[in-house]
Amino acid sequence: MISVKLPDGSERSLDDGSRGLDLAENISKSLAKKSVAMVLDGTLTDLTDPLHDGAVVEIVTRDDERALDLIRHDAAHVMAEAVQELYPGTQVTIGPVIEDGFFYDFARNEPFTLDDLPKIEAKMKEIIQRNERFTKQVWSREDTAKAFADLGEGYKVELLDAIPEGEDVNIYHQGDWYDMCRGPHMVSTGQIGQAFKLMKVAGAYWRGDSDNAMLTRIYGTAWNNEKDLKAYLTRLEEAEKRDHRKLGREMDLFHFQDEGPGSVFWHEKGWSLFQNLINYMRRRNDGADYDEVNTPDMLDRSLWEASGHWEKFGENMYTTTTPDERVFALKPMNCPGHVQVFKNGLKSYRDLPAKISEFGKVHRYEPSGALHGLMRVRSFTQDDAHVFVTDDQITQECLAIHNLLLSIYADFGFTDIRIKFSDRPEKRVGTDEVWDEAEAALKTAVEAAGDAYTLNPGEGAFYGPKLEYVLRDAIGRDWQCGTLQVDLNLPERLGAFYIGSDGEKHTPVMLHRAIFGSLERFTGILIEHHAGHFPLWLAPLQIMIATITSEADEYAVKVREAMRAAGLRVDADLRNEKINYKVREHSLGKVPAIIALGGREAEQGTVSIRRIGSKQQTVMTLEEAIESFVQEATPPDLARLKAK
């Protein structure tokens, strides 16, 4: 007999050789029917895996949020089986779970098209209805290679090269079809359900290398139930309407072109929005006692080697060799430059915390296929800041930064924030002792803030652990934006020090802080969050004056100049076009307020205001309108100062 412990602390006695499903049945028949997997000693695994004496076990049911990835994983396997049943000779390669779904890459002489997806979906439903059980076998590496070679699955054989010789391989069967896989899987294909849909096809190079063969990637999504699937598809439709690339064209904000891949061509209105973000952040930095600096775009290779960027990040850096054979790199990050500013002049412990900020343009190579509008670019501006502190200032300054971040996000309409604690990655600099200290300090700070956070193992920066701030937008999508990192490595590597109260040299702790992160990306997020309908204070063009007749042209110019004098961003449309045409055009451009002026308004000194999305018009005197608009257009940080 063996004894296993349940999450509530109770224990169950089972026969030797019992498996997870036996435990579920021992607890209750109804639980066994709903069970799809188990957590065995902290690891999600198959219900058919054996239990051992003293194991801590939690049964996972299909409605558990942890089951969603299993549903998607199993759906990917069923899709692969469906494809091979329908199109014999097709090779399957890899098929992971991704955010909101799954994909599988296929090798086939004739690439799949969207027209093939309904047929594949129908076959998947048929396989799911068969309710074939997932069974796991462990094969030797040699037997696996032979089996897949006999099937003509050359890509699978190649994947085995990454598995050390002598190491066994998990093979999962669903009926007669099988694939090698780490697992885990649910009990049977029937547990996948019908709440899935194949979404699109795309080309993908084998192993992401453009020198390799082009495969066809089929994307799908799967959910716990039809309601969740429908909500997701509705969200996609809404996301398409909010696509910042589409709205950027309609609002005349920016464009991209082949001569500058991954670099933004800002138009007048887009640049106005961009500068509005910078001005806002500059005010918030000033209020928090940051000193703004500017550091060189290009620095000698030796500095990047000393900082560790050359080794850990070199493949993503743009470099050049000058005629005198010096090697320079465009900066991918601002941190080393800020350390140089800190080092310039002797610093005392009385000078700490030393807060340095910069709107620094950085350059990082991204593969062409990864570029995506403002969201993924090769050159971008960071609202970077670094705070140099003593050991005993870490918690206090991390808390101050944390509160600043949350306040700023609220001003832009983001109040649903998720915080992730990312610890040491595989590729890193510094000793484990230094990482232990840095991780403990950051964890103390976030716990002192009293805000919930989740662990994000292995996702820290190569020089230190970090907090990641994930913003949830108006349609429920998550965007990782801000970061707060504790770094005990870089200052020491670059020789930064201060004189302590004991008269000795000490290495400062460096806090890396970005709030918008990439201003380009944050602009894209804002466009999609607000669907282009910015609050008045943020809108690049706040008011458009549209004349009804030419006799109002002179008055329209007067109104425009009066509003501009009050600090409002206003333009006037004096074209000889019908007023409805003008209103439609400027509504498409997402101008928050349109003022229609005709002969009556000119005679009475009034304005007729229409808000975007509303047919209702409000008539005010010019003075009343200016006062109202100025109050509404005041940025929230300045409004708070005025309220004091």
Side-chain angles (χ1 to χ4, degrees), residues 58-69:
E58 179 185 0
I59 300 298
V60 176
T61 60
R62 192 181 180 281
D63 56 2
D64 189 301
E65 63 180 18
R66 291 169 293 184
L68 187 54
D69 278 355

Side-chain angles (χ1 to χ4, degrees), residues 421-442 459-466 486-489:
F421 181 92
S422 300
D423 59 12
R424 67 196 73 186
E426 204 170 301
K427 291 177 67 173
R428 60 183 183 268
V429 296
T431 64
D432 285 344
E433 290 76 17
V434 167
W435 275 89
D436 289 342
E437 184 182 348
E439 288 171 355
L442 187 57
E459 293 299 320
F462 72 84
Y463 47 76
K466 63 182 178 180
V486 175
D487 185 354
L488 287 87
N489 286 300

Side-chain angles (χ1 to χ4, degrees), residues 194-212:
Q194 299 295 319
F196 70 91
K197 182 175 177 59
L198 301 186
M199 303 298 294
K200 61 181 180 179
V201 297
Y205 291 111
W206 169 236
R207 290 186 159 174
D209 188 338
S210 59
D211 291 332
N212 290 337

Side-chain angles (χ1 to χ4, degrees), residues 573 575 577-587:
D573 185 347
R575 293 175 300 166
E577 298 285 356
K578 292 182 178 180
I579 187 63
N580 287 341
Y581 176 85
K582 293 180 181 180
V583 169
R584 279 195 303 271
E585 181 178 297
H586 299 305
S587 294

Side-chain angles (χ1 to χ4, degrees), residues 85 106 116 151 187 269 287 401 406 464 527 629 636:
E85 279 193 28
F106 299 97
D116 297 314
L151 291 172
V187 177
K269 293 175 185 175
I401 292 169
L406 297 184
I527 292 170
F629 279 130

Side-chain angles (χ1 to χ4, degrees), residues 528-544:
E528 297 196 3
H529 176 61
H530 292 288
H533 299 289
F534 293 117
L536 197 68
W537 75 272
L538 197 53
L541 179 61
Q542 295 168 326
I543 304 161
M544 175 60 74

